[in-house]
Amino acid sequence: MKKVVNGLQLFGKSMFAPILILPIIGLYIAFGNVFGNGNLAQYIPFLDHPVIQNIGKFISSSAVSILQNLALIFAVGIPIGLAKKDKGYAALTGLVTFVIFINAMNQVLKLSDRLVPAEEMQMAGQGMVLNVQVLEMGVFSGILIGALVGVLHNKYSSTEFKGVMSIYSGHRFVAILAIPTAMLLGAFAAEFWPIVQNGITNLANGIKSMGAFGFLIYGFLERILIPTGLHHLVYTPFLYTELGGTQSIAGEIVHGARNIYFAEMADSSVKVLSDTVNWDARGLSKMFGLMGAALAMYMAADKKKRAVAKAILVPAAFTSFLLGVTEPIEFAFLFTAPILFAIHAVLAGVGIMLLHIFDVHAIGANGVIDFLLYNLPLGTEKSNWPMFILVGLIMFAAYFVIFRFLIVKLDLKTPGREEDTAAEGQPVQAKREAAAGNASAMGETIIAALGGTENIENVDNCYTRLRLVLKDPGKVDEGLLKETGSKGVIKSGNNVQVVYGLNVKTVRESVDQNLGGI
């Protein structure tokens, strides 16, 4: 079980690379939509000019093209996340292997005379990928190839041959293994993917049949798995595969809540967004709920310690509100009051369920900045975004009342209620500032707290966490890590996550400098 959990954590982390780039693409689609759809022209007259509208359509249409090639993005991005070294070569192998895979599938379909004319592709479950006609696997094909290349790269990229065979060593040997494997997988996919597709369709229909309760369960799981890092495995299939819905938009079949939203946003003929976008409404708890939780923790703090609580809670809450990055505020109460985190997960699910019940079709996964860019240009009819705000205010009140009641009733040690906080805070802060002033010194301190260089097998990071594989997690000195700015440590087998917040990239670089390329 430990190996399974470790493997899932590593796989979940690997999807962070492609997932991280997609919201950027979304911003460009939204930005182009601001100028191109004309809904804001009644408030800003110059947006009604044909030149401005054409520029907007040019930007959004160019960015939307990424949605048609998501499988390639994952095939290249996942090896980057999985590879322990030579990430660039891993990505290149992923690209080559993916091209081989889709062409192998095309050849099997062609040789068995199963390729259908263009006008029949949708009905036959076929589509064009990189101008190659194949079975419509969507993003699953990219995930499959990316995982394959990542595993082969880590296992065989250090293989060395001698003499004239040395040219086939290292990453070239990985390609030698990956290419024929991709050919076989392409052939198998041509034969067996329809069976898998039926299973996915049945699962999607089963989830859909749960109605509002399905959204509650989804929202709960997406939050409760945050500490393990497995939440990526919950929301990614709903955002980018058939599990999140299927729609025909402008003559194209589109899979996944996020993809459907962007396609419908860019299509002026769509008057009301599909309810599938609610799978991407995770921002409700981020923008409103956690703000209520932060206020509750501040109000429940001891009056003499409210300044300390404010210093912790205000930046963390606004990071969640503005950017949708929740770990800083969630880890403020996760370890000291886990019951609050369980309540938070339930409320997050309730919020998404309410959006479904009230027929709200607004997206809001990454904070208020994304929310405004994505939804305001659409107008109220298409997304019903004002109701999103109303439901958000309800969630703000629910979080505040429930959190404050439980904190006081159970005497939970949330920020400002810890024992001896005042006595310990000053020296810890002084050490943290000293370490921050010298990146090299901070890196040395972190490495020492992790058990030394010899205890570290791999270092990576995501939005807010330093992700490591350690030989002996028992050697971690959590107290020393806290002095470098850590907000919490999560251990699962040999996988250790150290939460730092948005400055984690700087932390990672300071560690890398002292590790010498591990």
Side-chain angles (χ1 to χ4, degrees):
M1 180 59 69
K2 184 182 293 185
K3 288 183 178 180
V4 170
V5 172
N6 287 346
L8 287 174
Q9 284 188 325
L10 183 61
F11 182 64
K13 182 202 72 173
S14 72
M15 288 200 288
F16 187 75
I19 288 172
L20 186 62
I21 199 67
L22 294 178
I24 306 301
I25 300 299
L27 285 177
Y28 276 99
I29 296 174
F31 183 74
N33 202 48
V34 168
F35 296 97
N37 70 7
N39 285 336
L40 293 180
Q42 54 184 320
Y43 308 109
I44 309 174
F46 84 89
L47 292 180
D48 200 31
H49 195 282
V51 173
I52 299 297
Q53 297 230 344
N54 287 337
I55 292 175
K57 292 175 182 177
F58 165 76
I59 295 172
S60 62
S61 298
S62 298
V64 163
S65 64
I66 288 295
L67 303 183
Q68 301 164 356
N69 296 286
L70 276 183
L72 177 62
I73 303 301
F74 278 83
V76 174
I78 288 178
I80 294 175
L82 286 176
K84 296 179 180 178
K85 63 175 185 178
D86 295 331
K87 293 178 179 291
Y89 285 122
L92 178 60
T93 305
L95 171 62
V96 171
T97 307
F98 181 76
V99 173
I100 295 291
F101 171 79
I102 60 173
N103 278 277
M105 190 193 310
N106 172 267
Q107 287 299 310
V108 171
L109 294 173
K110 182 184 295 184
L111 293 173
S112 57
D113 197 28
R114 281 182 282 166
L115 291 178
V116 300
E119 62 273 12
E120 300 177 16
M121 283 196 294
Q122 289 186 9
M123 294 296 296
Q126 297 181 14
M128 301 297 292
V129 179
L130 301 181
N131 207 34
V132 178
Q133 186 174 342
V134 293
L135 293 179
E136 183 57 74
M137 292 182 65
V139 75
F140 284 112
S141 59
I143 293 174
L144 174 66
I145 294 302
L148 166 70
V149 171
V151 171
L152 291 177
H153 182 86
N154 284 337
K155 191 171 181 64
Y156 297 108
S157 62
S158 297
T159 301
E160 294 291 338
F161 299 111
K162 298 185 182 297
V164 295
M165 297 296 291
S166 61
I167 191 174
Y168 300 116
S169 300
H171 64 273
R172 291 173 291 274
F173 184 58
V174 175
I176 290 173
L177 296 175
I179 289 174
T181 306
M183 292 178 182
L184 291 174
L185 285 176
F188 279 120
E191 300 298 330
F192 298 109
W193 179 252
I195 300 174
V196 176
Q197 185 64 55
N198 286 336
I200 295 172
T201 300
N202 291 334
L203 178 58
N205 290 336
I207 294 171
K208 187 176 181 180
S209 68
M210 297 174 70
F213 186 70
F215 286 98
L216 189 154
I217 296 299
Y218 165 79
F220 170 78
L221 291 175
E222 195 273 333
R223 284 294 95 186
I224 203 68
L225 291 175
I226 280 281
T228 68
L230 298 178
H231 58 297
H232 299 308
L233 301 182
V234 175
Y235 69 77
T236 301
F238 284 89
L239 299 194
Y240 303 111
T241 76
E242 294 92 324
L243 288 179
T246 300
Q247 293 288 335
S248 177
I249 305 169
E252 297 285 339
I253 296 295
V254 183
H255 303 295
R258 179 72 65 88
N259 299 336
I260 291 171
Y261 175 86
F262 287 149
E264 291 184 333
M265 180 174 67
D267 187 350
S268 59
S269 66
V270 177
K271 301 305 180 185
V272 179
L273 295 177
S274 308
D275 60 0
T276 57
V277 304
N278 288 337
W279 297 115
D280 204 14
R282 299 167 293 129
L284 193 69
S285 63
K286 299 177 181 182
M287 289 189 286
F288 296 99
L290 288 174
M291 292 290 284
L295 180 60
M297 288 186 280
Y298 174 76
M299 296 299 293
D302 295 340
K303 291 184 178 180
K304 294 181 180 179
K305 300 175 182 178
R306 281 188 175 176
V308 175
K310 182 179 179 181
I312 295 172
L313 295 172
V314 171
F318 275 97
T319 298
S320 177
F321 178 73
L322 293 174
L323 304 175
V325 178
T326 61
E327 280 92 336
I329 183 65
E330 288 171 331
F331 281 84
F333 59 85
L334 170 62
F335 297 107
T336 58
I339 187 175
L340 293 181
F341 192 81
I343 296 296
H344 163 48
V346 172
L347 289 175
V350 169
I352 297 179
M353 180 182 70
L354 289 176
L355 293 178
H356 174 74
I357 292 173
F358 291 129
D359 202 30
V360 181
H361 302 152
I363 195 173
N366 297 303
V368 70
I369 296 176
D370 282 4
F371 175 79
L372 295 175
L373 278 175
Y374 289 157
N375 298 295
L376 263 64
L378 299 179
T380 58
E381 181 182 356
K382 198 165 186 175
S383 67
N384 196 15
W385 61 262
M387 184 60 73
F388 185 100
I389 296 176
L390 178 59
V391 174
L393 294 175
I394 294 172
M395 297 309 298
F396 175 91
Y399 268 82
F400 175 79
V401 172
I402 295 173
F403 268 57
R404 194 175 192 283
F405 172 79
L406 291 176
I407 291 169
V408 175
K409 185 71 174 179
L410 302 178
D411 191 24
L412 302 177
K413 303 303 180 184
T414 49
R417 296 175 62 88
E418 314 95 328
E419 296 177 1
D420 300 322
T421 299
E424 296 176 2
Q426 184 57 38
V428 168
Q429 182 65 21
K431 292 177 183 178
R432 186 183 302 174
E433 290 175 354
N438 187 327
S440 179
M442 183 171 68
E444 290 177 4
T445 303
I446 293 171
I447 291 171
L450 294 171
T453 303
E454 64 282 355
N455 194 42
I456 302 174
E457 292 186 344
N458 188 47
V459 181
D460 212 330
N461 70 277
C462 61
Y463 255 138
T464 58
R465 311 182 200 187
L466 199 62
R467 292 174 175 259
L468 309 114
V469 178
L470 304 182
K471 294 178 182 177
D472 183 4
K475 293 183 178 181
V476 174
D477 185 341
E478 296 187 26
L480 188 56
L481 286 173
K482 187 175 181 180
E483 294 180 13
T484 66
S486 165
K487 297 174 177 62
V489 177
I490 304 167
K491 300 178 184 177
S492 178
N494 295 94
N495 289 281
V496 175
Q497 301 176 47
V498 187
V499 182
Y500 279 99
L502 294 177
N503 66 324
V504 69
K505 188 175 185 298
T506 302
V507 174
R508 162 80 184 280
E509 290 173 351
S510 68
V511 172
D512 285 344
Q513 289 175 9
N514 288 274
L515 285 177
I518 287 182

